[in-house]
Amino acid sequence: MTTASAPPATAETPQPPAPAQPPEPPATPPLRVLLRYARPHRTVLLATLLLVLAASAAGLVQPLVAQHVLDGLSDGRGVLGPVLLLAALVVLGAGLTGLQSWWQQRTSERVVRQIRRDLVFRLIRLRVPELDRRPPGDLISRVTSDSALVQNAATEGLVMVSNGVLSILGAVVLMGVVHLGLLGVTAAVLIAVALVMVLVLPRIREAVARAQESVGAVGAALDRTLGAARTVKANGAEGRETERAGDAIEGAYRAGLAGARYVALVKVLSGVSIQAAFLAVLGVGGALVAAGSLEASALIAFLLYVFYLASPVGSLVAGLSMLQQGLGAVGRIEQVKHMPVEDDVDDPRERLAAVAAPGAPPVEFRDVRFSYPGRAPALRGISYTVPGGTQTALVGLSGAGKTTMFALLQRFHEPASGQIRIDGVDIATLPRSEVRRRIAYVEQESPVMAGTIEDNLRYAATGASDEDIAEVLRLTRLDTLIDRLPDGLRTEVGNRGVTLSGGERQRLAIARALLRRPEVLLLDEATAQLDASNERALREAVDQAARRCTVILIAHRLSTVTGADQIVVLEHGLVRAAGTHAELVEADVLYRELASSQMLVSEGNEDIGELADVPR
C-alpha cells in the first residue's frame, strides 16, 4: 500500500512568500463606460435623437408662426393659413414625441438586458475566495437596482442631454433673429444659473454611489436573515435581525435623501432660471416697446421662446441628473468586471482536448501549502498519495486542513506552492471544467437546489437514463421515499431543500454524486446525518463506488472509515500519520485517543471494531 509521508507535527517549515497580487487595471472613466453600453444601439439612439429634434423643431417654429398670426390680425390680413400650419405643427410634434418615446424605451430595455446578462455571467463564475468575502445581497443589487440606473442614463439620459443642448442652441439662434439685446439678457441669467449647477451636479453622482451601496447593505442583511430563517426563529432573534436590517434601511434612506436634495435643488435652479429670464426679458422688452424701438409682436414671440426654453432646459437638467446617477452606478458595475472569475469552466473545446484517464486514477499531494488571507497557514507542506480505486479517509481535529484539501483538489482555491496530481497530471495545467468533470463532491451541508428531486439528481448528469437514476436511488435507499411521494421524482423540494429532512438531503446529494460516475469521489462527512441503517447502506454504496473510482472521505465519526484502505491523520496542516485503522490504533496517540473517545478501542487499546455499526 502507498502511504503518506509524515513529517513531525512539531516541525515549523518556513513559508514561501505570498504570491504577488496582479496590479489593478487602470480605471476607465465612467462616462466612457456609459457610452460603451450605448454604442451597440447607436443607430437606434441616433434615430431617436432625430425624432426628438424634429419634434423640437416643430416647437421652435411655433412662436414664429404665432408672430405671423398676431401680425396678420393687427394688419387685417387673413390668418387661416398660419393657424392651420400652427395646428399641424402641434400634431406633428406630438406624433414624433410618441414614436421617439417607444423607440427609446425599447432600446433602454435592451441595454439593461445586456448589462444584466453580462453581470450574471460573471457573478456565477466568480472565484470562490471572491464569493466568500462579498455578501450575496450586495452582488444581487448590482444586477437589479444599479443596472436600472445605468439603463436610464445610457439611453434616455444621453438623448435628453443631446436634445436639450441642440434645442437650446436652435432657440438661441432664433431668439437672436428676433432681438439680440433681449438674447443677451436671457443668456446672462442662464449662464449665472448654469455655473451653480456645475457645482451641484457632481454631488449627485457621489450621493447615488453611496445610496446604491446602502441598498446593497439592505440586500446583504436580508440574505443573512432569510438564508438562516430557522436559526433566527429558533433563537428568537427576529427582533435583533429586524433591527439590523432596519439600520441598513435607515442608511439607505439617509443616502437617498442626500441625493434627493441635490436633485430637488437642480430642479429648483432650472425652474428659477426660466422665470428669472422671463421677468428680465419682460422688463427690458417692455421698456423697449414703450420707447418704440421694439414691436409688441416681436416681444411676444421672444417671450414664447423663453417659455419654450423651459422644455429643453428641463430636458438638459433631467438628462444631466440621470447621467450623474448612472455614472454613480457604473462604478459598482465595473467593480464586478474587475473581480477575478474562473474563465475555464465552460469552454467545450478545452473539455474535448483534455484526455480523461480510464478507470480510477491515483491522487497525489506533493508538498502542498496554503493560507487563507489574514490567517495562519492551513496546510504546511502536505504530501501523500491516494492509490487509484481505493478508499482513503482524512481524519483529525477541526481545523486540521481536511476540507481545505478538498477545496484545493477542485481548484476552488489555488495552493501557494506544491502540486496536486490526478493520474500523474498536475491539475493546475488542466481547465477547471476538466478537473471538476472528473470529480464528484458531496459537501458537509449537502445543499439541495430549489426544484424537483429529479432536477437535483440530473443537475450534473443531465443525460442520465431512468435506469441509472433507479440504481442510485436504490443504493442510497431513496427509492422507498420516492415511492411514498404522490409526485415521485417530480416532487418539489422547496428552497434549499427545506421539505426534506437532513438525512434525505444528504442521501440526495450522494445519489447526485454517484449518478455522475466520477473518477474521484469526495465525501465530506457524507453520513453525518444518517441513522445506523442508512449509514450502513451508504457505506455499501461507497464500497461499490470504490470499485470504479477513487474515494476520499472526511470523517469525524471513525466508525464510518475503519474499513478504509488508508487513513491519513492530519494535525495543524501537517500529515501526522497514515495507515490502516489497526495500524494507527497501535502507532499513533492522537488517532488512538479519537478512536477511544468514540468507543472503537478499549481502555487497553484493544480494537473493538465490531462496535463500528452501533449508532452514536
Side-chain angles (χ1 to χ4, degrees), residues 56-102:
S56 299
L60 279 172
V61 176
Q62 290 175 28
L64 290 178
V65 177
Q67 182 180 3
H68 285 300
V69 171
L70 293 174
D71 289 338
L73 291 174
S74 62
D75 296 341
R77 299 195 307 268
V79 295
L80 178 60
V83 168
L84 291 176
L85 177 58
L86 190 61
L89 290 172
V90 171
V91 173
L92 177 62
L96 292 174
T97 299
L99 181 58
Q100 169 267 328
S101 177
W102 159 244

mmCIF file of all heavy atoms in Angstrom, residues 56-102:
data_model
loop_
_atom_site.group_PDB
_atom_site.id
_atom_site.type_symbol
_atom_site.label_atom_id
_atom_site.label_comp_id
_atom_site.label_asym_id
_atom_site.label_seq_id
_atom_site.Cartn_x
_atom_site.Cartn_y
_atom_site.Cartn_z
ATOM 1 N N SER A 56 -38.715 68.937 -31.589
ATOM 2 C CA SER A 56 -38.289 70.225 -31.053
ATOM 3 C C SER A 56 -38.340 71.309 -32.123
ATOM 4 O O SER A 56 -38.706 72.458 -31.835
ATOM 5 C CB SER A 56 -36.859 70.105 -30.501
ATOM 6 O OG SER A 56 -36.805 69.168 -29.448
ATOM 7 N N ALA A 57 -37.955 70.942 -33.363
ATOM 8 C CA ALA A 57 -38.017 71.923 -34.451
ATOM 9 C C ALA A 57 -39.449 72.377 -34.685
ATOM 10 O O ALA A 57 -39.716 73.567 -34.921
ATOM 11 C CB ALA A 57 -37.436 71.313 -35.721
ATOM 12 N N ALA A 58 -40.380 71.420 -34.617
ATOM 13 C CA ALA A 58 -41.787 71.803 -34.758
ATOM 14 C C ALA A 58 -42.189 72.778 -33.658
ATOM 15 O O ALA A 58 -42.955 73.726 -33.893
ATOM 16 C CB ALA A 58 -42.662 70.543 -34.699
ATOM 17 N N GLY A 59 -41.645 72.574 -32.463
ATOM 18 C CA GLY A 59 -41.940 73.512 -31.381
ATOM 19 C C GLY A 59 -41.260 74.836 -31.574
ATOM 20 O O GLY A 59 -41.807 75.896 -31.228
ATOM 21 N N LEU A 60 -40.039 74.828 -32.139
ATOM 22 C CA LEU A 60 -39.310 76.066 -32.352
ATOM 23 C C LEU A 60 -39.999 76.984 -33.361
ATOM 24 O O LEU A 60 -39.973 78.203 -33.235
ATOM 25 C CB LEU A 60 -37.889 75.756 -32.844
ATOM 26 C CG LEU A 60 -36.855 75.360 -31.786
ATOM 27 C CD1 LEU A 60 -35.574 74.898 -32.449
ATOM 28 C CD2 LEU A 60 -36.585 76.535 -30.852
ATOM 29 N N VAL A 61 -40.597 76.390 -34.373
ATOM 30 C CA VAL A 61 -41.236 77.190 -35.422
ATOM 31 C C VAL A 61 -42.531 77.820 -34.925
ATOM 32 O O VAL A 61 -42.958 78.875 -35.429
ATOM 33 C CB VAL A 61 -41.492 76.310 -36.670
ATOM 34 C CG1 VAL A 61 -42.245 77.084 -37.741
ATOM 35 C CG2 VAL A 61 -40.170 75.793 -37.218
ATOM 36 N N GLN A 62 -43.144 77.221 -33.937
ATOM 37 C CA GLN A 62 -44.461 77.683 -33.495
ATOM 38 C C GLN A 62 -44.478 79.144 -33.048
ATOM 39 O O GLN A 62 -45.394 79.899 -33.417
ATOM 40 C CB GLN A 62 -44.981 76.766 -32.385
ATOM 41 C CG GLN A 62 -45.348 75.377 -32.880
ATOM 42 C CD GLN A 62 -45.750 74.431 -31.764
ATOM 43 O OE1 GLN A 62 -46.249 74.871 -30.728
ATOM 44 N NE2 GLN A 62 -45.532 73.128 -31.972
ATOM 45 N N PRO A 63 -43.491 79.661 -32.272
ATOM 46 C CA PRO A 63 -43.537 81.085 -31.922
ATOM 47 C C PRO A 63 -43.477 82.016 -33.145
ATOM 48 O O PRO A 63 -44.140 83.051 -33.171
ATOM 49 C CB PRO A 63 -42.306 81.257 -31.027
ATOM 50 C CG PRO A 63 -42.086 79.907 -30.424
ATOM 51 C CD PRO A 63 -42.437 78.956 -31.511
ATOM 52 N N LEU A 64 -42.658 81.641 -34.155
ATOM 53 C CA LEU A 64 -42.591 82.470 -35.361
ATOM 54 C C LEU A 64 -43.935 82.482 -36.086
ATOM 55 O O LEU A 64 -44.394 83.534 -36.576
ATOM 56 C CB LEU A 64 -41.495 81.943 -36.298
ATOM 57 C CG LEU A 64 -40.043 82.141 -35.814
ATOM 58 C CD1 LEU A 64 -39.082 81.535 -36.818
ATOM 59 C CD2 LEU A 64 -39.743 83.621 -35.602
ATOM 60 N N VAL A 65 -44.576 81.304 -36.179
ATOM 61 C CA VAL A 65 -45.894 81.250 -36.817
ATOM 62 C C VAL A 65 -46.895 82.066 -35.999
ATOM 63 O O VAL A 65 -47.736 82.791 -36.564
ATOM 64 C CB VAL A 65 -46.355 79.787 -36.953
ATOM 65 C CG1 VAL A 65 -47.771 79.732 -37.541
ATOM 66 C CG2 VAL A 65 -45.390 78.998 -37.839
ATOM 67 N N ALA A 66 -46.771 81.958 -34.672
ATOM 68 C CA ALA A 66 -47.672 82.757 -33.827
ATOM 69 C C ALA A 66 -47.463 84.248 -34.051
ATOM 70 O O ALA A 66 -48.420 85.047 -34.048
ATOM 71 C CB ALA A 66 -47.436 82.397 -32.358
ATOM 72 N N GLN A 67 -46.199 84.657 -34.279
ATOM 73 C CA GLN A 67 -45.936 86.078 -34.566
ATOM 74 C C GLN A 67 -46.619 86.498 -35.849
ATOM 75 O O GLN A 67 -47.194 87.598 -35.941
ATOM 76 C CB GLN A 67 -44.426 86.317 -34.660
ATOM 77 C CG GLN A 67 -44.063 87.792 -34.901
ATOM 78 C CD GLN A 67 -42.559 88.001 -34.985
ATOM 79 O OE1 GLN A 67 -41.792 87.054 -34.923
ATOM 80 N NE2 GLN A 67 -42.156 89.257 -35.126
ATOM 81 N N HIS A 68 -46.588 85.644 -36.876
ATOM 82 C CA HIS A 68 -47.277 85.952 -38.137
ATOM 83 C C HIS A 68 -48.780 86.062 -37.923
ATOM 84 O O HIS A 68 -49.451 86.907 -38.535
ATOM 85 C CB HIS A 68 -46.963 84.878 -39.194
ATOM 86 C CG HIS A 68 -45.580 84.998 -39.761
ATOM 87 N ND1 HIS A 68 -45.127 86.118 -40.419
ATOM 88 C CD2 HIS A 68 -44.540 84.113 -39.754
ATOM 89 C CE1 HIS A 68 -43.866 85.936 -40.805
ATOM 90 N NE2 HIS A 68 -43.493 84.713 -40.413
ATOM 91 N N VAL A 69 -49.327 85.197 -37.077
ATOM 92 C CA VAL A 69 -50.761 85.270 -36.793
ATOM 93 C C VAL A 69 -51.095 86.603 -36.151
ATOM 94 O O VAL A 69 -52.069 87.291 -36.522
ATOM 95 C CB VAL A 69 -51.188 84.109 -35.881
ATOM 96 C CG1 VAL A 69 -52.634 84.305 -35.413
ATOM 97 C CG2 VAL A 69 -51.060 82.775 -36.617
ATOM 98 N N LEU A 70 -50.263 87.030 -35.170
ATOM 99 C CA LEU A 70 -50.512 88.306 -34.499
ATOM 100 C C LEU A 70 -50.372 89.477 -35.465
ATOM 101 O O LEU A 70 -51.185 90.423 -35.453
ATOM 102 C CB LEU A 70 -49.547 88.467 -33.318
ATOM 103 C CG LEU A 70 -49.744 87.493 -32.147
ATOM 104 C CD1 LEU A 70 -48.637 87.661 -31.120
ATOM 105 C CD2 LEU A 70 -51.104 87.723 -31.502
ATOM 106 N N ASP A 71 -49.333 89.418 -36.318
ATOM 107 C CA ASP A 71 -49.152 90.486 -37.306
ATOM 108 C C ASP A 71 -50.321 90.525 -38.283
ATOM 109 O O ASP A 71 -50.792 91.603 -38.675
ATOM 110 C CB ASP A 71 -47.840 90.282 -38.070
ATOM 111 C CG ASP A 71 -46.621 90.562 -37.191
ATOM 112 O OD1 ASP A 71 -46.775 91.289 -36.187
ATOM 113 O OD2 ASP A 71 -45.520 90.043 -37.511
ATOM 114 N N GLY A 72 -50.800 89.347 -38.702
ATOM 115 C CA GLY A 72 -51.938 89.293 -39.617
ATOM 116 C C GLY A 72 -53.189 89.873 -38.996
ATOM 117 O O GLY A 72 -53.962 90.577 -39.657
ATOM 118 N N LEU A 73 -53.413 89.594 -37.732
ATOM 119 C CA LEU A 73 -54.587 90.138 -37.050
ATOM 120 C C LEU A 73 -54.496 91.652 -36.922
ATOM 121 O O LEU A 73 -55.497 92.366 -37.090
ATOM 122 C CB LEU A 73 -54.729 89.496 -35.653
ATOM 123 C CG LEU A 73 -55.124 88.004 -35.635
ATOM 124 C CD1 LEU A 73 -55.078 87.465 -34.209
ATOM 125 C CD2 LEU A 73 -56.529 87.818 -36.223
ATOM 126 N N SER A 74 -53.282 92.144 -36.640
ATOM 127 C CA SER A 74 -53.147 93.595 -36.494
ATOM 128 C C SER A 74 -53.238 94.325 -37.826
ATOM 129 O O SER A 74 -53.696 95.471 -37.889
ATOM 130 C CB SER A 74 -51.810 93.927 -35.815
ATOM 131 O OG SER A 74 -50.723 93.479 -36.638
ATOM 132 N N ASP A 75 -52.810 93.671 -38.926
ATOM 133 C CA ASP A 75 -52.855 94.293 -40.253
ATOM 134 C C ASP A 75 -54.145 94.002 -41.006
ATOM 135 O O ASP A 75 -54.356 94.521 -42.108
ATOM 136 C CB ASP A 75 -51.670 93.804 -41.108
ATOM 137 C CG ASP A 75 -50.336 94.233 -40.510
ATOM 138 O OD1 ASP A 75 -50.334 95.173 -39.690
ATOM 139 O OD2 ASP A 75 -49.305 93.589 -40.840
ATOM 140 N N GLY A 76 -54.989 93.137 -40.461
ATOM 141 C CA GLY A 76 -56.251 92.815 -41.134
ATOM 142 C C GLY A 76 -56.098 91.787 -42.229
ATOM 143 O O GLY A 76 -57.010 91.615 -43.046
ATOM 144 N N ARG A 77 -54.932 91.089 -42.269
ATOM 145 C CA ARG A 77 -54.753 90.068 -43.299
ATOM 146 C C ARG A 77 -55.391 88.758 -42.843
ATOM 147 O O ARG A 77 -55.636 88.525 -41.657
ATOM 148 C CB ARG A 77 -53.264 89.827 -43.568
ATOM 149 C CG ARG A 77 -52.515 91.067 -44.080
ATOM 150 C CD ARG A 77 -51.158 90.671 -44.669
ATOM 151 N NE ARG A 77 -50.370 89.864 -43.737
ATOM 152 C CZ ARG A 77 -49.495 90.375 -42.869
ATOM 153 N NH1 ARG A 77 -49.324 91.694 -42.827
ATOM 154 N NH2 ARG A 77 -48.808 89.603 -42.066
ATOM 155 N N GLY A 78 -55.572 87.802 -43.763
ATOM 156 C CA GLY A 78 -56.129 86.501 -43.433
ATOM 157 C C GLY A 78 -55.115 85.671 -42.644
ATOM 158 O O GLY A 78 -53.912 85.693 -42.935
ATOM 159 N N VAL A 79 -55.590 84.936 -41.673
ATOM 160 C CA VAL A 79 -54.707 84.154 -40.801
ATOM 161 C C VAL A 79 -55.029 82.664 -40.846
ATOM 162 O O VAL A 79 -54.501 81.889 -40.045
ATOM 163 C CB VAL A 79 -54.807 84.661 -39.341
ATOM 164 C CG1 VAL A 79 -54.286 86.086 -39.225
ATOM 165 C CG2 VAL A 79 -56.234 84.558 -38.826
ATOM 166 N N LEU A 80 -55.898 82.231 -41.787
ATOM 167 C CA LEU A 80 -56.281 80.827 -41.832
ATOM 168 C C LEU A 80 -55.074 79.931 -42.095
ATOM 169 O O LEU A 80 -54.882 78.900 -41.436
ATOM 170 C CB LEU A 80 -57.343 80.601 -42.911
ATOM 171 C CG LEU A 80 -57.798 79.135 -43.075
ATOM 172 C CD1 LEU A 80 -58.398 78.617 -41.770
ATOM 173 C CD2 LEU A 80 -58.795 79.022 -44.240
ATOM 174 N N GLY A 81 -54.214 80.329 -43.054
ATOM 175 C CA GLY A 81 -53.035 79.526 -43.387
ATOM 176 C C GLY A 81 -52.094 79.370 -42.204
ATOM 177 O O GLY A 81 -51.711 78.243 -41.847
ATOM 178 N N PRO A 82 -51.684 80.493 -41.553
ATOM 179 C CA PRO A 82 -50.810 80.345 -40.389
ATOM 180 C C PRO A 82 -51.436 79.534 -39.255
ATOM 181 O O PRO A 82 -50.741 78.771 -38.575
ATOM 182 C CB PRO A 82 -50.561 81.799 -39.952
ATOM 183 C CG PRO A 82 -50.732 82.588 -41.196
ATOM 184 C CD PRO A 82 -51.819 81.909 -41.952
ATOM 185 N N VAL A 83 -52.752 79.683 -39.044
ATOM 186 C CA VAL A 83 -53.401 78.921 -37.971
ATOM 187 C C VAL A 83 -53.369 77.425 -38.282
ATOM 188 O O VAL A 83 -53.093 76.594 -37.407
ATOM 189 C CB VAL A 83 -54.843 79.413 -37.764
ATOM 190 C CG1 VAL A 83 -55.619 78.446 -36.871
ATOM 191 C CG2 VAL A 83 -54.862 80.807 -37.149
ATOM 192 N N LEU A 84 -53.673 77.052 -39.542
ATOM 193 C CA LEU A 84 -53.627 75.636 -39.912
ATOM 194 C C LEU A 84 -52.211 75.073 -39.781
ATOM 195 O O LEU A 84 -52.010 73.943 -39.346
ATOM 196 C CB LEU A 84 -54.128 75.452 -41.347
ATOM 197 C CG LEU A 84 -55.628 75.700 -41.566
ATOM 198 C CD1 LEU A 84 -55.980 75.572 -43.044
ATOM 199 C CD2 LEU A 84 -56.463 74.717 -40.731
ATOM 200 N N LEU A 85 -51.207 75.919 -40.179
ATOM 201 C CA LEU A 85 -49.823 75.490 -40.047
ATOM 202 C C LEU A 85 -49.463 75.273 -38.577
ATOM 203 O O LEU A 85 -48.789 74.286 -38.228
ATOM 204 C CB LEU A 85 -48.889 76.529 -40.670
ATOM 205 C CG LEU A 85 -47.381 76.249 -40.548
ATOM 206 C CD1 LEU A 85 -47.028 74.901 -41.187
ATOM 207 C CD2 LEU A 85 -46.569 77.383 -41.151
ATOM 208 N N LEU A 86 -49.934 76.166 -37.730
ATOM 209 C CA LEU A 86 -49.658 76.045 -36.303
ATOM 210 C C LEU A 86 -50.274 74.756 -35.739
ATOM 211 O O LEU A 86 -49.635 74.027 -34.965
ATOM 212 C CB LEU A 86 -50.218 77.270 -35.565
ATOM 213 C CG LEU A 86 -49.827 77.427 -34.091
ATOM 214 C CD1 LEU A 86 -48.317 77.559 -33.954
ATOM 215 C CD2 LEU A 86 -50.522 78.653 -33.502
ATOM 216 N N ALA A 87 -51.499 74.453 -36.149
ATOM 217 C CA ALA A 87 -52.159 73.226 -35.682
ATOM 218 C C ALA A 87 -51.415 71.991 -36.185
ATOM 219 O O ALA A 87 -51.236 71.002 -35.446
ATOM 220 C CB ALA A 87 -53.609 73.207 -36.162
ATOM 221 N N ALA A 88 -50.967 72.026 -37.445
ATOM 222 C CA ALA A 88 -50.231 70.890 -37.997
ATOM 223 C C ALA A 88 -48.924 70.661 -37.253
ATOM 224 O O ALA A 88 -48.520 69.514 -36.990
ATOM 225 C CB ALA A 88 -49.964 71.114 -39.480
ATOM 226 N N LEU A 89 -48.253 71.753 -36.888
ATOM 227 C CA LEU A 89 -47.006 71.633 -36.147
ATOM 228 C C LEU A 89 -47.232 70.999 -34.774
ATOM 229 O O LEU A 89 -46.427 70.190 -34.307
ATOM 230 C CB LEU A 89 -46.355 73.009 -35.988
ATOM 231 C CG LEU A 89 -45.777 73.622 -37.274
ATOM 232 C CD1 LEU A 89 -45.351 75.057 -37.021
ATOM 233 C CD2 LEU A 89 -44.595 72.801 -37.781
ATOM 234 N N VAL A 90 -48.350 71.380 -34.141
ATOM 235 C CA VAL A 90 -48.660 70.808 -32.837
ATOM 236 C C VAL A 90 -48.890 69.300 -32.944
ATOM 237 O O VAL A 90 -48.362 68.494 -32.163
ATOM 238 C CB VAL A 90 -49.886 71.492 -32.212
ATOM 239 C CG1 VAL A 90 -50.346 70.746 -30.966
ATOM 240 C CG2 VAL A 90 -49.575 72.942 -31.873
ATOM 241 N N VAL A 91 -49.693 68.876 -33.924
ATOM 242 C CA VAL A 91 -49.985 67.455 -34.109
ATOM 243 C C VAL A 91 -48.722 66.679 -34.489
ATOM 244 O O VAL A 91 -48.456 65.579 -33.970
ATOM 245 C CB VAL A 91 -51.076 67.275 -35.181
ATOM 246 C CG1 VAL A 91 -51.268 65.789 -35.495
ATOM 247 C CG2 VAL A 91 -52.382 67.901 -34.722
ATOM 248 N N LEU A 92 -47.915 67.260 -35.374
ATOM 249 C CA LEU A 92 -46.685 66.599 -35.798
ATOM 250 C C LEU A 92 -45.726 66.415 -34.622
ATOM 251 O O LEU A 92 -45.141 65.336 -34.444
ATOM 252 C CB LEU A 92 -46.006 67.417 -36.895
ATOM 253 C CG LEU A 92 -44.655 66.881 -37.401
ATOM 254 C CD1 LEU A 92 -44.839 65.501 -38.034
ATOM 255 C CD2 LEU A 92 -44.025 67.864 -38.393
ATOM 256 N N GLY A 93 -45.590 67.461 -33.819
ATOM 257 C CA GLY A 93 -44.697 67.366 -32.665
ATOM 258 C C GLY A 93 -45.136 66.274 -31.699
ATOM 259 O O GLY A 93 -44.310 65.514 -31.179
ATOM 260 N N ALA A 94 -46.457 66.158 -31.465
ATOM 261 C CA ALA A 94 -46.962 65.130 -30.551
ATOM 262 C C ALA A 94 -46.712 63.729 -31.108
ATOM 263 O O ALA A 94 -46.307 62.804 -30.382
ATOM 264 C CB ALA A 94 -48.447 65.346 -30.299
ATOM 265 N N GLY A 95 -46.955 63.535 -32.398
ATOM 266 C CA GLY A 95 -46.732 62.218 -33.016
ATOM 267 C C GLY A 95 -45.281 61.807 -32.987
ATOM 268 O O GLY A 95 -44.958 60.652 -32.661
ATOM 269 N N LEU A 96 -44.381 62.739 -33.298
ATOM 270 C CA LEU A 96 -42.954 62.423 -33.258
ATOM 271 C C LEU A 96 -42.498 62.090 -31.846
ATOM 272 O O LEU A 96 -41.673 61.191 -31.636
ATOM 273 C CB LEU A 96 -42.152 63.605 -33.816
ATOM 274 C CG LEU A 96 -42.323 63.886 -35.317
ATOM 275 C CD1 LEU A 96 -41.594 65.161 -35.700
ATOM 276 C CD2 LEU A 96 -41.816 62.715 -36.145
ATOM 277 N N THR A 97 -43.044 62.797 -30.875
ATOM 278 C CA THR A 97 -42.671 62.535 -29.480
ATOM 279 C C THR A 97 -43.094 61.130 -29.048
ATOM 280 O O THR A 97 -42.345 60.420 -28.365
ATOM 281 C CB THR A 97 -43.318 63.586 -28.558
ATOM 282 O OG1 THR A 97 -42.849 64.884 -28.925
ATOM 283 C CG2 THR A 97 -42.977 63.311 -27.105
ATOM 284 N N GLY A 98 -44.302 60.700 -29.445
ATOM 285 C CA GLY A 98 -44.765 59.365 -29.092
ATOM 286 C C GLY A 98 -43.905 58.281 -29.711
ATOM 287 O O GLY A 98 -43.539 57.306 -29.038
ATOM 288 N N LEU A 99 -43.554 58.424 -31.006
ATOM 289 C CA LEU A 99 -42.722 57.431 -31.677
ATOM 290 C C LEU A 99 -41.332 57.374 -31.046
ATOM 291 O O LEU A 99 -40.775 56.292 -30.819
ATOM 292 C CB LEU A 99 -42.621 57.769 -33.162
ATOM 293 C CG LEU A 99 -41.803 56.806 -34.028
ATOM 294 C CD1 LEU A 99 -42.366 55.389 -33.949
ATOM 295 C CD2 LEU A 99 -41.760 57.298 -35.477
ATOM 296 N N GLN A 100 -40.805 58.575 -30.748
ATOM 297 C CA GLN A 100 -39.485 58.628 -30.110
ATOM 298 C C GLN A 100 -39.504 57.941 -28.749
ATOM 299 O O GLN A 100 -38.570 57.228 -28.390
ATOM 300 C CB GLN A 100 -39.061 60.095 -29.965
ATOM 301 C CG GLN A 100 -37.851 60.308 -29.083
ATOM 302 C CD GLN A 100 -38.239 60.606 -27.635
ATOM 303 O OE1 GLN A 100 -39.281 61.202 -27.381
ATOM 304 N NE2 GLN A 100 -37.405 60.177 -26.702
ATOM 305 N N SER A 101 -40.568 58.115 -27.986
ATOM 306 C CA SER A 101 -40.662 57.506 -26.661
ATOM 307 C C SER A 101 -40.645 55.981 -26.753
ATOM 308 O O SER A 101 -39.965 55.303 -25.972
ATOM 309 C CB SER A 101 -41.937 57.982 -25.963
ATOM 310 O OG SER A 101 -42.081 57.361 -24.714
ATOM 311 N N TRP A 102 -41.366 55.428 -27.733
ATOM 312 C CA TRP A 102 -41.394 53.970 -27.897
ATOM 313 C C TRP A 102 -40.015 53.432 -28.262
ATOM 314 O O TRP A 102 -39.536 52.466 -27.667
ATOM 315 C CB TRP A 102 -42.417 53.595 -28.962
ATOM 316 C CG TRP A 102 -42.210 52.233 -29.573
ATOM 317 C CD1 TRP A 102 -41.913 51.947 -30.857
ATOM 318 C CD2 TRP A 102 -42.254 50.959 -28.895
ATOM 319 N NE1 TRP A 102 -41.769 50.598 -31.051
ATOM 320 C CE2 TRP A 102 -41.982 49.962 -29.853
ATOM 321 C CE3 TRP A 102 -42.504 50.581 -27.584
ATOM 322 C CZ2 TRP A 102 -41.945 48.623 -29.538
ATOM 323 C CZ3 TRP A 102 -42.462 49.223 -27.267
ATOM 324 C CH2 TRP A 102 -42.197 48.265 -28.240
#
